Every structure is written in structure tokens, then in C-alpha cells.
Amino acid sequence: QVQLVESGGGLVQPGGSLRLSCAASGSSFTINAMGWYRQAPEKQRELVARLTSSGFTNYADSVKGRFTISRDNIKNTVYLQMNSLKPEDTAVYYCNVEPTFGMDYWGKGTLVTVSS
């Protein structure tokens, strides 16, 4: 009923930039928050950035000052602007949507590779 479509991943050199997008579609529901998580090989999934419906944000310490999360409420789309990318940012990035009531939704993930 609810689908998350991610886009924007790819290969980029260190110091470069990418913008990830995640569009929610399907059944109507109230969104409490949207965010991005990532998982590197052989590591656990970790929070990258989160944005609540009231406009509050939180970021992983490793991305503060470099990444910015934003949202288009009309399009039900969340973005992650990633600047000054580092090799350690390489991971599969997953979109996350937290309904006001109910279980979270997850995207299938988009791969971001930062390498020379």
C-alpha cells in the first residue's frame, strides 16, 4: 500500500556531492518523521539524518555540517543533500518513514560509493 522510491545514489569522488531523494506513495497516512539510514558492509545500520513533521532534525555526528535533510510535504518526498563526501560515507542508504501510528516503512536502498 505504501511504497518508497529512492534515487540519487551513485559513484562520486571524495569531496564531491550527491543528493538522494525518497518519494512516498500509495495509501494516505500521516507522517511523523522521515529519515535516512545507512549500512556499510559488515556493519550495522545507523541513523544518518531524521526530520520530523514539525521541522526538527537530528544528524549523526559523522555527517553534521556536511549533510542536510529536507522535505517537500506536497510531494511527500524527503531529500538528503550530501556534500564533502568521504570514503567512509560509502554505504547503502535507506529511506525511512515513520507514520504517526503504525510500523515504519523502509525503502530498498540506494548505493553510494565514494572513491577516487
Side-chain angles (χ1 to χ4, degrees), residues 17-85:
S17 299
L18 285 174
R19 188 177 76 162
L20 305 183
S21 300
C22 175
S25 62
S27 301
S28 298
F29 62 97
T30 302
I31 298 176
N32 182 63
M34 302 183 74
W36 291 93
Y37 293 72
R38 68 186 181 187
Q39 186 170 19
E42 300 181 351
K43 293 186 177 181
Q44 290 185 322
R45 179 187 62 190
E46 65 173 348
L47 171 69
V48 178
R50 182 173 177 267
L51 174 65
T52 71
S53 60
S54 58
F56 293 98
T57 60
N58 61 294
Y59 296 91
D61 289 340
S62 59
V63 307
K64 288 181 179 178
R66 299 188 297 119
F67 292 9
T68 302
I69 188 170
S70 61
R71 178 185 176 186
D72 186 325
N73 291 327
I74 298 176
K75 296 181 179 179
N76 288 326
T77 301
V78 65
Y79 304 93
L80 183 67
Q81 179 65 47
M82 304 184 294
N83 299 326
S84 302
L85 284 162

Side-chain angles (χ1 to χ4, degrees), residues 74-111:
I74 298 176
K75 296 181 179 179
N76 288 326
T77 301
V78 65
Y79 304 93
L80 183 67
Q81 179 65 47
M82 304 184 294
N83 299 326
S84 302
L85 284 162
K86 304 175 181 179
E88 50 263 43
D89 295 318
T90 297
V92 177
Y93 285 71
Y94 297 93
C95 179
N96 169 259
V97 174
E98 303 174 26
T100 302
F101 184 83
M103 196 171 183
D104 286 10
Y105 297 99
W106 293 90
K108 295 182 179 180
T110 183
L111 178 63

